Amino acid sequence: MSTRASGVELWSTWKRTHEVIRALVVNEVTAAAGLSEPDMTVLVRLHEAGGTLRQSELGAAMGWDRTRLSHQVTRMEKRGLLTRRRGDGVTVALAAAGRETIQAVLPTLGDAVRRHFLDKLGESDLDALRVILDRLTREGS
Amino acid sequence: MSTRASGVELWSTWKRTHEVIRALVVNEVTAAAGLSEPDMTVLVRLHEAGGTLRQSELGAAMGWDRTRLSHQVTRMEKRGLLTRRRGDGVTVALAAAGRETIQAVLPTLGDAVRRHFLDKLGESDLDALRVILDRLTREGS
DNA sequence: GAAGATTGATCGATCAATCTTT
DNA sequence: AAAGATTGATCGATCAATCTTC
């Protein structure tokens, strides 16, 4: 009962904090690489997956809906960052330019994430945050 | 334990979790109220401030830049949700329709936030999260 | 026909340039 | 001149409708 009144306030703080930190990191990376945030998100996720994913799995991993991802992949395909291949759904892969780009940008991203995010938290905070994020994405509303 | 190379991974998880939870909450509220997420964010913040704020303070509280807020306020003013008044900067206030709307929607928002966010965390998680969000927004990089 | 994907239209976000007020 | 605000253009996100493949 005691957290009821402050619930929306914590929600607002969570959103605002995410927005501010995100902007700090994204501004550094996009300034350095000529990539938008969604470009980065897609490249990072594909890279983590080894370079190839089914489009539906890529979308699920990022929490994006189909339309948004379809438009985004279309744009990135036109710029030569990705390739699309049909057959039992669609498979998306890093093209050569995409592979080079993500490898060039990852150190910048890692550095920005460390300075604006990780370094502001202690080890116990990071552990606690992992637990919190895990609980938030568990099923059962 | 060590968090070595997983910094960007935690960053990705934080972003994805935020995106998913945000979508769950926002979809419920917008379906019920005919308001977009930015509409809601502005109305909630103004309501929390008593109904009136200077535009620059409103933007700072949400982490928005001037341009974004100016466009948003223009749209909401046209729909009769807000009023704008000049003089030593700009002062934004809830119009009658905005006041009625936010009061009608707050219970729905509170309910959605509780089910998709607060109820998934324990008391100690909530305390830890407050500390984490506070540290992330402290100055000094 | 159901799940996955695409398209076109509309609305929101961002960038660069400009205007206003102190 | 500097801070705050606005405007117009462009790019990204969202919605509804449609198409494809199994």
Side-chain angles (χ1 to χ4, degrees):
Chain A
M1 56 183 279
S2 60
T3 58
R4 178 87 194 248
S6 58
V8 172
E9 186 189 322
L10 180 59
W11 170 251
S12 297
T13 303
W14 152 267
K15 284 202 307 170
R16 182 182 50 70
T17 302
H18 182 270
E19 169 87 9
V20 169
I21 304 293
R22 186 200 61 84
L24 287 171
V25 170
V26 166
N27 288 345
E28 284 193 20
V29 174
T30 59
L35 290 176
S36 71
E37 180 184 18
D39 294 340
M40 273 295 307
T41 304
V42 168
L43 292 180
V44 166
R45 180 46 78 184
L46 268 177
H47 182 260
E48 285 173 351
T52 303
L53 270 180
R54 293 179 67 175
Q55 190 166 299
S56 57
E57 291 169 337
L58 178 57
M62 301 187 297
W64 290 20
D65 71 8
R66 290 189 181 87
T67 299
R68 181 182 179 187
L69 184 55
S70 180
H71 281 301
Q72 180 70 30
V73 171
T74 298
R75 286 190 297 263
M76 295 178 77
E77 194 182 18
K78 276 178 186 155
R79 289 158 60 203
L81 296 169
L82 304 179
T83 61
R84 239 199 284 236
R85 182 171 53 79
R86 288 203 88 100
D88 190 33
V90 170
T91 301
V92 181
L94 288 172
R99 220 174 266 280
E100 290 161 20
T101 300
I102 185 60
Q103 280 168 4
V105 166
L106 271 182
T108 303
L109 175 64
D111 186 63
V113 166
R114 187 159 33 71
R115 281 186 292 103
H116 296 301
F117 183 60
L118 304 175
D119 282 358
K120 294 192 173 176
L121 303 175
E123 278 300 318
S124 64
D125 292 329
L126 292 172
D127 289 341
L129 183 55
R130 281 181 226 276
V131 170
I132 287 167
L133 296 178
D134 188 54
R135 290 197 172 134
L136 285 174
T137 46
R138 273 209 208 305
E139 287 311 307
S141 54
Chain B
M1 309 310 167
S2 124
T3 54
R4 342 167 297 277
S6 57
V8 172
E9 186 189 322
L10 180 59
W11 170 250
S12 298
T13 303
W14 152 266
K15 283 204 306 171
R16 183 182 48 70
T17 302
H18 182 270
E19 169 86 9
V20 169
I21 304 293
R22 186 200 62 84
L24 287 171
V25 171
V26 167
N27 288 344
E28 284 194 19
V29 174
T30 60
L35 289 176
S36 71
E37 181 185 15
D39 294 340
M40 273 295 307
T41 304
V42 169
L43 291 181
V44 166
R45 180 45 78 184
L46 268 178
H47 183 260
E48 285 173 351
T52 302
L53 271 179
R54 293 179 64 175
Q55 189 165 299
S56 56
E57 291 170 337
L58 178 57
M62 301 186 298
W64 290 20
D65 73 6
R66 288 189 183 89
T67 299
R68 182 182 180 189
L69 184 55
S70 180
H71 280 302
Q72 180 69 29
V73 171
T74 297
R75 287 190 296 264
M76 294 178 77
E77 193 181 21
K78 275 176 188 156
R79 291 157 58 204
L81 296 169
L82 304 179
T83 62
R84 239 200 282 236
R85 183 171 53 80
R86 288 203 89 100
D88 189 33
V90 170
T91 300
V92 181
L94 288 172
R99 220 175 267 280
E100 290 161 21
T101 300
I102 185 60
Q103 281 168 2
V105 166
L106 271 181
T108 303
L109 174 64
D111 186 64
V113 166
R114 186 158 35 71
R115 280 186 292 104
H116 296 301
F117 184 61
L118 303 175
D119 282 358
K120 295 192 172 174
L121 302 175
E123 279 298 320
S124 64
D125 293 328
L126 293 173
D127 289 342
L129 183 56
R130 280 180 226 276
V131 170
I132 287 167
L133 296 178
D134 187 56
R135 288 196 174 135
L136 284 175
T137 46
R138 274 211 207 304
E139 288 311 307
S141 53

